[in-house]
Amino acid sequence: SRSTPQATDRNGLPWIKDMDEITWTDTEEIGFRLLEAHPGVDPLKVRFTELRDHVMALPGFVGTVDHCGEKILEAIQMAWLEELQDAD
């Protein structure tokens, strides 16, 4: 019999149970979480490769790199920018 291992995020940290899973298409939620994870960062100055890595490191993110493309990253960047502007 196989036991279920302790769920962890991509950084090996314990899973936060109340954190909903997100994927590449959850652009608004990703934008909000990026704002919280990277306060003071200008989303327009983040390279797409860095943005992809930031998204994949978010707790609750379950997408894979092969489902990530330039259009999705642009949408995430704009959602993050919108969250930043709303916070001001």
Side-chain angles (χ1 to χ4, degrees), residues 41-52:
V41 172
D42 179 352
L44 298 179
K45 296 191 177 181
V46 177
R47 294 184 322 267
F48 277 177
T49 52
E50 190 179 3
L51 178 59
R52 180 198 62 214

Side-chain angles (χ1 to χ4, degrees), residues 20-48:
D20 292 335
E21 289 184 349
I22 53 173
T23 64
W24 294 111
T25 56
D26 298 310
T27 56
E28 290 181 16
E29 182 62 23
I30 290 171
F32 176 75
R33 293 185 191 189
L34 286 170
L35 179 66
E36 289 189 328
H38 303 280
V41 172
D42 179 352
L44 298 179
K45 296 191 177 181
V46 177
R47 294 184 322 267
F48 277 177

Side-chain angles (χ1 to χ4, degrees), residues 49-76:
T49 52
E50 190 179 3
L51 178 59
R52 180 198 62 214
D53 294 343
H54 285 338
V55 172
M56 294 185 73
L58 289 172
F61 185 77
V62 295
T64 59
V65 71
D66 45 320
H67 288 104
C68 172
E70 191 171 327
K71 281 188 169 190
I72 289 174
L73 290 171
E74 286 175 356
I76 291 169

